[in-house]
Amino acid sequence: MSLPNDPIERLIALLARTPGLGRRSARRAVLRMLMKPEETMLPLAEALTAAAEAVRPCQVCGNLDAQSPCGICTDPRRDRHLVCVVEGVADLWALERAHAHHGLYHVLGGTLSPLAGIGPEELSIQPLLRRVEQEGVTEVIIALPATVDGTATAHYLTDRLKPADVAVTRLAQGVPMGGALDVLDEGTLAAALRARRPV
Amino acid sequence: MSLPNDPIERLIALLARTPGLGRRSARRAVLRMLMKPEETMLPLAEALTAAAEAVRPCQVCGNLDAQSPCGICTDPRRDRHLVCVVEGVADLWALERAHAHHGLYHVLGGTLSPLAGIGPEELSIQPLLRRVEQEGVTEVIIALPATVDGTATAHYLTDRLKPADVAVTRLAQGVPMGGALDVLDEGTLAAALRARRPV
């Protein structure tokens, strides 16, 4: 797509590509920023450049960070025997915000999808097996999405991890917090019922 | 507000200040951009810097443009006898997108608001009167918002423009295109009825 030459129109067109911002919001945002360009536009431009230059995938787990190995992989307080497998960095960040996992991560980079031509070679599965084998991992937590592809990938991973001496677990399925039962799908309800627990 | 030092968190915090983007959308956008930083983040950073450096208010009409006087004020095809008065640049851009005005503009920079302490001196009223007097303007179209402050400002402007030999008009009020009657407020309906026209 060619961009307009006029600096305002060019900025609007580029900002409108941001997921979540349409052309209309981008225009409003640019207009607001142009009221105080030194305080809004220049710091944002610097932050974009700094992030683009500094941030790279962690060579160990695939997380995005300004250092590689990333801050999580190098944190001595994290449990190195526990590795949580996620589809992408967004899921890793979501788990970090929940402050519930004190181990390491492994970003697969997707899920298996024969229809989209994504086989085991396209994902970071071999590096995961190598980590499990060489780094004394005792438990692999599979935190993949509960979709068809995610479930198939979880099965595949479980199979591949069988030869290794490692416990394989997956996230519990059930009713989300604050979730009303009547809007939940039948699959989730059935899973929650099967996995019921004593109060 | 202090900003985090980590380049990713810093970028998210700055992007989240964009009107229309919350923290959640900013995080998603940054994650998406980090997949292709050279193609998304660097051009946006350059466009922000270029716009911040080049764009300034037009010394004649108050429009924001990379040149002053702006592209509209210097366009020889525009009717220099016709000046449309708007509250802000957003309204000017909206009228330009409608391709309905072929004259010039004058950005007031707000509306009179005694409660907010905005008097005639805070707005670009004196420069408007000077333009009308010195530049052969024959008609001033008042395109201020149909709010209480907007209407009061329109009245004030009409008064101040009386000594000058200039026609003063305002935008028609009525039913918006595609607008259902039953959701319109009574004021608009009454105005539309009073200003009814033969079919």
Side-chain angles (χ1 to χ4, degrees), chain A residues 18 27 29 31 45 49 90 93 97, chain B residues 8 18 27 29 31 45 49 90 97:
Chain A
T18 310
R27 196 185 297 123
L31 203 46
T49 310
W93 289 3
R97 287 197 298 279
Chain B
I8 299 180
T18 310
R27 196 184 298 123
L31 203 46
T49 311
R97 288 197 299 279

Side-chain angles (χ1 to χ4, degrees), chain B residues 68-83:
Chain B
S68 173
C70 73
I72 295 173
C73 283
T74 53
D75 184 345
R77 290 162 302 179
R78 317 254 343 185
D79 183 350
R80 316 195 71 80
H81 304 298
L82 201 57
V83 170

Side-chain angles (χ1 to χ4, degrees), chain B residues 1 3 9 18-19 22 29-30 33 40 48 51 61 66 76 110 118 124 126 134 137 144 157 165 170 175 194:
Chain B
M1 198 174 86
L3 284 166
E9 289 301 323
T18 310
V30 166
M33 289 196 280
T40 56
L48 280 163
C61 75
I118 301 178
S124 174
Q126 209 55 51
Q134 299 176 351
V137 177
L144 294 175
L157 279 183
D165 183 23
R170 67 171 173 79
V175 183
R194 276 197 306 271

Side-chain angles (χ1 to χ4, degrees), chain A residues 6-8 11 14 18-19 21 27 29 31 34 41-45 47-49 51-52 55 64-66 89-90 93 97, chain B residues 6-8 11 14 18 21 27 29 31-32 34 37 41-45 47-49 51-52 55 64-66 89-90 93 97:
Chain A
D6 175 78
I8 299 180
L11 176 57
L14 278 165
T18 310
L21 271 188
R27 196 185 297 123
L31 203 46
L34 279 171
M41 302 168 83
L42 296 184
L44 183 54
L48 280 163
T49 310
V55 177
L64 288 167
D65 201 355
V89 177
W93 289 3
R97 287 197 298 279
Chain B
D6 175 77
I8 299 180
L11 177 56
L14 278 166
T18 310
L21 270 188
R27 196 184 298 123
L31 203 46
R32 188 86 74 83
L34 280 171
M41 301 168 83
L42 296 184
L44 183 54
L48 280 163
T49 311
V55 177
L64 288 169
D65 201 355
V89 177
W93 289 3
R97 288 197 299 279

Side-chain angles (χ1 to χ4, degrees), chain A residues 31 35, chain B residues 62 85-94 106-110 143-145:
Chain A
L31 203 46
M35 301 291 149
Chain B
V85 177
V86 291
E87 182 183 16
V89 177
D91 299 337
L92 189 162
W93 289 3
H106 191 85
V107 177
L108 272 196
L144 294 175

Side-chain angles (χ1 to χ4, degrees), chain A residues 3 8 17 32 34 39-40 53-54 66 68 77 88 94 106 138 166 187 192 198:
Chain A
L3 284 166
I8 299 180
R17 294 186 186 172
R32 188 86 74 83
L34 279 171
E39 290 165 45
T40 56
E53 281 167 4
S68 173
R77 289 162 302 178
H106 191 86
T138 55
V166 67

Side-chain angles (χ1 to χ4, degrees), chain B residues 93-109:
Chain B
W93 289 3
L95 283 162
E96 278 300 284
R97 288 197 299 279
H99 297 294
H101 178 59
H102 58 282
L104 305 182
Y105 289 94
H106 191 85
V107 177
L108 272 196

